Amino acid sequence: MSIGKIYYSPTSCGAASYIAASYAGLQFDSEVVDLRSHKTASGQDFYQINVKGNVPTLVTPKGTLSEGPAVLQYIADQAPQSKLAPAFGSFERYHLIDTFNWVGSELHKSYGALFNPSWDEATKTKLKETVNTKLGFLENNYIGKDEFLNPKQPSIATIYLYIVLSWSGFVGINLDSYPKVKQFVEQVGQNPKIKSAQEKMNAASK
């Protein structure tokens, strides 16, 4: 039975929801959204589906979810055997949420600012300094220490972080100064189920 339809962009944080659902072995429909025109691949006005216009958006038989943390946790809870998230209500679940929220509020936000084409070079330089500060914190305090950022047993936080870090080349961030972070990206990308899910997403996005 399908969990619903995932609206996403393969180069945005919405990609994490597609990859997570595929990794978990769930059945779902999907459609790419052009975030510039806010049109779906079939030509529909995406604002008619989600008034906020953001991805991921998951339309389920019970209703619509339109924020990444909610969508990813919903996906994880539909396939507990995937171990993408601990049981709801457990302390481990709140630990996962704690880690997930750091990625969202500190790293995603910092990377996201670099996609604004209106910034001058001085502003971009300052924004890159902020990203590098966050990457240093990630290197020293999370990678190799947080159980929910494990390339071999990915959680929704693992997949989300992987997608955010994949933006590095697009915004001029070099991960060479952060060997543990760089290795994390490589190892997650080499995880057979993640690799398969990403290949499936790329094929569906053409």
Side-chain angles (χ1 to χ4, degrees), residues 55-107:
V55 293
T57 294
L58 172 62
V59 179
T60 80
K62 296 180 179 180
T64 299
L65 299 173
S66 58
E67 291 294 336
V71 172
L72 282 164
Q73 288 185 77
Y74 182 84
I75 288 169
D77 287 338
Q78 305 316 298
Q81 72 281 1
S82 70
K83 299 182 180 179
L84 284 172
F88 190 81
S90 66
F91 178 80
E92 289 78 13
R93 180 60 165 260
Y94 298 110
H95 178 178
L96 168 66
I97 294 170
D98 191 83
T99 300
F100 190 103
N101 282 3
W102 183 87
V103 175
S105 63
E106 299 295 330
L107 204 59

Side-chain angles (χ1 to χ4, degrees), residues 77-146:
D77 287 338
Q78 305 316 298
Q81 72 281 1
S82 70
K83 299 182 180 179
L84 284 172
F88 190 81
S90 66
F91 178 80
E92 289 78 13
R93 180 60 165 260
Y94 298 110
H95 178 178
L96 168 66
I97 294 170
D98 191 83
T99 300
F100 190 103
N101 282 3
W102 183 87
V103 175
S105 63
E106 299 295 330
L107 204 59
H108 183 171
K109 181 179 178 181
S110 299
Y111 266 90
L114 285 167
F115 283 97
N116 188 331
S118 68
W119 299 133
D120 58 29
E121 288 305 313
T123 301
K124 287 181 182 178
T125 297
K126 290 181 179 179
L127 291 171
K128 287 180 181 179
E129 289 174 356
T130 299
V131 170
N132 280 298
T133 297
K134 305 301 182 184
L135 287 171
F137 191 87
L138 178 67
E139 174 89 3
N140 295 323
N141 296 281
Y142 278 101
I143 303 298
K145 297 179 180 180
D146 192 301

